[in-house]
Amino acid sequence: MTAGIGVMMYTVLDQARSDLEGTLARLAGLGYLGIETYGLVEHFGPARVRDAIAAAGLTLTSAHTPFPAGPGAEALLDTNEELGADVLVWSMEREEFDSPDAIRRGVERVNEAAERAAGRGMRIAYHNHFAEFSQQFGGRPAYDLLLELLDDRVLVELDAYWARMGGADPADVLAGLGDRVRFVHVKDGPAVSYEHDVMVPIGEGGTDWARTLTTPSGPRWHLVELERLHIDTFEALRRSYDHLVGRGLSRGARVPEPTEERA
């Protein structure tokens, strides 16, 4: 089945913090089916966010939140249990990919989180940036070692854009992940600078999304994330939706008119 289309809420964080219910309603009106939370629970509390997602008719795909490991683990799990999140997504730090030993130490935290989350009926998912692919050890990307070390219960959220910036082909990465990958972060742009890249609507940048998103693998959600833009955010989200759903790459609630689709 074609993956559903959602929004990673960092894209509209300022708008949502000003008007949570209105922002979610606008996303639903564009045809998006779900959202991954970011920075909302800390602002509004889990109950209001949960209720606002339901009122908009959206699905909570996942919560982007630190790994529940260490002293604060139970409090994080309590919050996300109240939110209704089934999957908690986070990353390791860039410097944790400087050596194989650093990766092993970082993975201990992720695997602890997976064990704790399992006790609440939740799953952990790992979200990459670019160091996982740009760093090589013995001719292999650090990402390969990471996957080998992670608890089998840890799912994957592939950020295809940062993988591309790290020198990987996102389609090839997806093919190797198979059913372990649950989400794909979909963003477009030059893929040259983590700190400074300005994103463009999906389909207007350099990623071959038709090839990437039709690669046989297991994503259930394509999550649009546009971190920095030079155009209106909701216009960029509309154009992204029309590209992905109009070409049958993602599944949404609104069928784009032929005249709405962009090349």
Side-chain angles (χ1 to χ4, degrees), residues 65-204:
T65 185
F67 294 124
E74 294 307 309
L76 274 169
L77 290 167
D78 288 343
T79 295
N80 285 287
E81 194 169 56
E82 186 176 359
L83 176 65
D86 294 324
V87 183
L88 314 183
V89 188
W90 201 245
S91 309
M92 285 164 49
E93 300 299 324
R94 192 182 307 179
E95 59 269 20
E96 291 181 290
F97 292 93
D98 286 346
S99 71
D101 284 344
I103 295 172
R104 291 186 183 96
R105 289 192 296 270
V107 164
E108 290 178 4
R109 184 173 77 259
V110 188
N111 288 345
E112 178 193 336
E115 178 68 26
R116 288 177 177 267
R120 302 285 191 103
M122 301 177 192
R123 300 284 294 273
I124 297 298
Y126 185 85
H127 174 90
N128 66 279
H129 292 101
F130 67 91
E132 291 89 332
F133 298 96
S134 62
Q135 291 285 67
Q136 303 273 327
F137 302 107
R140 302 172 66 215
Y143 197 64
D144 287 359
L145 176 58
L146 173 74
L147 294 177
E148 288 175 4
L149 294 171
L150 285 174
D151 188 301
D152 289 342
R153 292 172 292 188
V154 178
L155 301 168
V156 170
E157 176 175 85
L158 179 70
D159 191 308
Y161 185 85
W162 297 134
R164 178 179 149 226
M165 198 182 93
D169 182 328
D172 289 346
V173 177
L174 275 170
L177 289 169
D179 290 338
R180 192 172 191 179
V181 60
R182 179 72 58 89
F183 315 99
V184 178
H185 268 205
V186 181
K187 61 184 80 166
D188 222 338
V192 295
S193 170
Y194 182 77
E195 289 80 11
H196 303 296
D197 272 8
V198 174
M199 309 302 173
V200 298
I202 307 306
E204 299 177 28

Side-chain angles (χ1 to χ4, degrees), residues 195-237:
E195 289 80 11
H196 303 296
D197 272 8
V198 174
M199 309 302 173
V200 298
I202 307 306
E204 299 177 28
T207 305
D208 184 350
W209 289 111
R211 177 171 172 267
T212 298
L213 297 181
T214 57
T215 297
S217 59
R220 300 182 187 179
W221 289 98
H222 297 154
L223 301 172
V224 176
E225 182 183 24
L226 302 170
E227 290 143 310
R228 289 176 291 275
L229 290 162
H230 282 167
I231 65 171
D232 176 75
T233 302
F234 286 100
E235 170 64 11
L237 285 169

